Amino acid sequence: MALGERLKESRINKGFSQGNVAEYLSISRQSISKWENGNSYPDLDNLVKLSVYYEVSIDELLKENQVLKKKIETNELKIQENYRKLDFIRGTSENDEGLLLLVLSILGFLLAPLGLIVSPLLIIRNKKTNTLYKIVYIACICCIAFNLFIGYGILSDIFGWGAVTVEYLGE
C-alpha cells in the first residue's frame, strides 16, 4: 500500500473530510487530494501534523502493512514446502527421510524386541518436512503395540502366565 493510500485510509478511519484536514494543516484541499492520489507527497512537518491529527504513528503512515508482509512470508514458506514435497514425489529431494523412516519402522515389526527401541527413536527423528511423516507415526505406534503384544506372549510362555491345565477326574 502506497503512502497516499495509507493517508486516505487513516483520514477515512477518523471520519475526516479532505476539507477538515486541509483546514487543520492550513493548506488547500487540492494538496490533500494530490497526496492521497500519489501525485505529490507531504513535507516532513505536515507528515508529523497528520500523524498527530490521525492519531497514528509516522511509522504506520510510512511503512507498509506488516500484517500483509507476514502473510506474504507465510505463503512463501508454504510454497517452498510444497516445492520440497513435489521434489520428493519426483525423486529429486535430498533431505526427505520419510521413506527411509517408514522402511525402518516396518523392519521393527520383523525384529520383535528391537522394535520397542527403534520405533521411539524413529518418532523423535520424524519431522513435518518429511512427506510421509503421518504414516511414519502410525507405523511406529503400530510397531510398538505389536512388539508389546509379542513380548507379552514370549514372557507368558517363559513364566507360564495364563496357562490353563485341565484335570480329568477319574471315577
Side-chain angles (χ1 to χ4, degrees):
M1 184 183 299
L3 173 63
E5 293 172 5
R6 287 189 294 275
L7 288 172
K8 184 175 182 177
E9 182 181 318
S10 298
R11 176 181 59 79
I12 291 171
N13 286 342
K14 294 303 283 184
F16 298 139
S17 67
Q18 287 182 346
N20 298 128
V21 177
E23 185 179 321
Y24 174 77
L25 296 176
S26 302
I27 58 173
S28 69
R29 189 199 59 75
Q30 288 80 9
S31 295
I32 303 297
S33 177
K34 286 181 183 179
W35 295 346
E36 290 180 357
N37 291 327
N39 295 330
S40 66
Y41 299 104
D43 61 5
L44 189 57
D45 292 335
N46 285 330
L47 195 59
V48 171
K49 289 178 184 177
L50 284 171
S51 73
V52 170
Y53 193 56
Y54 293 155
E55 297 177 356
V56 295
S57 69
I58 294 176
D59 281 347
E60 288 181 49
L61 291 176
L62 293 177
K63 291 185 178 177
E64 292 185 24
N65 189 344
Q66 296 300 322
V67 174
L68 184 59
K69 272 189 170 183
K70 286 188 179 193
K71 284 183 181 179
I72 290 171
E73 289 172 3
T74 303
N75 286 341
E76 287 176 354
L77 290 174
K78 286 181 182 177
I79 289 170
Q80 289 175 357
E81 182 180 333
N82 288 336
Y83 274 128
R84 281 194 300 270
K85 288 180 179 178
L86 185 60
D87 285 343
F88 174 75
I89 292 169
R90 291 180 182 160
T92 58
S93 176
E94 297 174 8
N95 298 328
D96 193 356
E97 299 175 329
L99 188 60
L100 176 65
L101 295 176
L102 185 61
V103 169
L104 289 174
S105 66
I106 292 171
L107 285 175
F109 279 98
L110 301 175
L111 305 171
L114 190 61
L116 289 173
I117 298 169
V118 172
S119 292
L121 296 174
L122 295 178
I123 289 173
I124 292 170
R125 180 74 181 192
N126 196 17
K127 296 180 180 109
K128 282 190 174 186
T129 55
N130 294 333
T131 53
L132 302 172
Y133 80 100
K134 290 181 182 177
I135 297 171
V136 170
Y137 282 132
I138 292 169
C140 287
I141 290 169
C142 291
C143 180
I144 290 171
F146 178 77
N147 278 276
L148 288 173
F149 178 74
I150 295 298
Y152 175 75
I154 292 170
L155 289 176
S156 67
D157 284 346
I158 292 172
F159 294 112
W161 298 335
V164 177
T165 56
V166 178
E167 296 181 20
Y168 295 99
L169 298 175
E171 292 182 35

